[in-house]
Amino acid sequence: MSCPPPSISEPSRDEQARALCLRLLTARSRTRAELSGQLAKRGYPDDVSDRVLDRLAAVGLVDDAEFAEQWVQSRRARAGKSKRALAAELHSKGVDNDVISAVLGGINAGAERDRAEQLVRAKLRRETLSDEAKVSRRLVAMLARRGYSQNLACEVVLGELAAERERRCV
């Protein structure tokens, strides 16, 4: 039986945990809670997780506030999510409530309504208005899936349907 050469040593638990976190962060940015959950799932003790995550946070690789900013910007632009839906998504990713409030504080009711109107206008361009009740239900449901309130969804859909009717008649 031969021993490994003395220059090659077994990586420590901290190094293994750090390598796992770096591999996960290569795919996409993650919250501290997500990384902690992955480390726990793989059996790393809390003290190892805390040391590794503290070090990654110190060098700027794990920053929940930055993650939340990017998440909100991306999900609002691409998926058209409402404030309420974004807050739920960030909460499920383990972002602190204070960070969520700070990040979503910049989205006012007017911006929320504007985004809902953009979504409805984009869908309406491809719709035939032969059955307006059906189209209206579909559009309200689309906004509801993105987290918009029932009242806002109904107001926006009715307003945009009227504008689209008028545009098509002219």
Side-chain angles (χ1 to χ4, degrees), residues 103-133:
V103 169
L104 295 178
I107 303 171
N108 62 26
E112 184 105 327
R113 183 183 191 91
D114 290 345
R115 188 65 179 118
E117 289 170 349
Q118 289 170 0
L119 291 166
V120 169
R121 272 193 298 270
K123 288 280 189 191
L124 266 177
R125 280 187 226 123
R126 297 183 300 257
E127 292 283 347
T128 61
L129 299 182
S130 57
D131 186 356
E132 281 192 30

Side-chain angles (χ1 to χ4, degrees), residues 42-103:
R42 288 174 173 80
Y44 288 97
D46 289 343
D47 63 321
V48 170
S49 293
D50 289 342
R51 276 195 306 273
V52 169
L53 293 174
D54 287 345
R55 177 68 184 132
L56 291 174
V59 297
L61 291 175
V62 177
D63 182 353
D64 283 359
E66 179 64 27
F67 173 87
E69 287 279 346
Q70 290 175 357
W71 185 265
V72 166
Q73 187 178 27
S74 169
R75 299 292 284 165
R76 268 185 67 72
R78 289 191 181 93
K81 296 287 184 168
S82 71
K83 255 172 98 164
R84 187 174 66 189
L86 291 168
E89 289 178 354
L90 289 172
H91 186 71
S92 74
K93 295 201 169 293
V95 177
D96 186 58
N97 287 335
D98 294 337
V99 173
I100 293 172
S101 297
V103 169

Side-chain angles (χ1 to χ4, degrees), residues 33-44:
E34 286 178 301
L35 291 172
S36 179
Q38 288 295 321
L39 290 171
K41 191 166 107 177
R42 288 174 173 80
Y44 288 97

